[in-house]
Amino acid sequence: MAAAAKPITLQERILQIDHIQARRYSKLTGEALEIASEGIIRHLKACARMDVNPDASAVREIIDDALNGRRVFAEVSNDLLAA
């Protein structure tokens, strides 16, 4: 019987992708941390759906946008939600 995989933190998952971005992520606080976490989780879910590896440059862009107060993919049309 296979053992259940141990859940890892978002910080640990980012470290698996790129150590530089993991270090940048670890320094985030407040709203920037929330924005980056949301964006990175969305990126990881999209990569899992498409069966591709997460992209370090995408993680970097998400962190950069979070530092500038921009939410990536925050605008979702209500039409899409209703479908």
Side-chain angles (χ1 to χ4, degrees):
M1 186 159 74
K6 176 185 172 273
I8 64 171
T9 65
L10 184 55
Q11 176 70 38
E12 291 169 333
R13 184 64 184 102
I14 297 167
L15 186 58
Q16 292 175 344
I17 299 167
D18 184 76
H19 72 280
I20 295 170
Q21 299 317 313
R23 188 170 59 235
R24 292 180 70 217
Y25 177 80
S26 71
K27 294 177 183 178
L28 297 176
T29 60
E31 187 177 18
L33 176 61
E34 290 176 30
I35 293 170
S37 296
E38 178 185 333
I40 293 168
I41 289 169
R42 285 174 177 261
H43 176 65
L44 293 174
K45 286 181 178 180
C47 290
R49 276 194 311 272
M50 296 184 290
D51 196 26
V52 297
N53 290 325
D55 183 32
S57 62
V59 173
R60 183 187 69 237
E61 281 189 45
I62 291 166
I63 293 171
D64 289 347
D65 285 345
L67 288 169
N68 291 319
R70 287 193 305 266
R71 287 185 189 274
V72 180
F73 305 117
E75 305 294 322
V76 176
S77 167
N78 287 335
D79 296 337
L80 293 175
L81 294 176

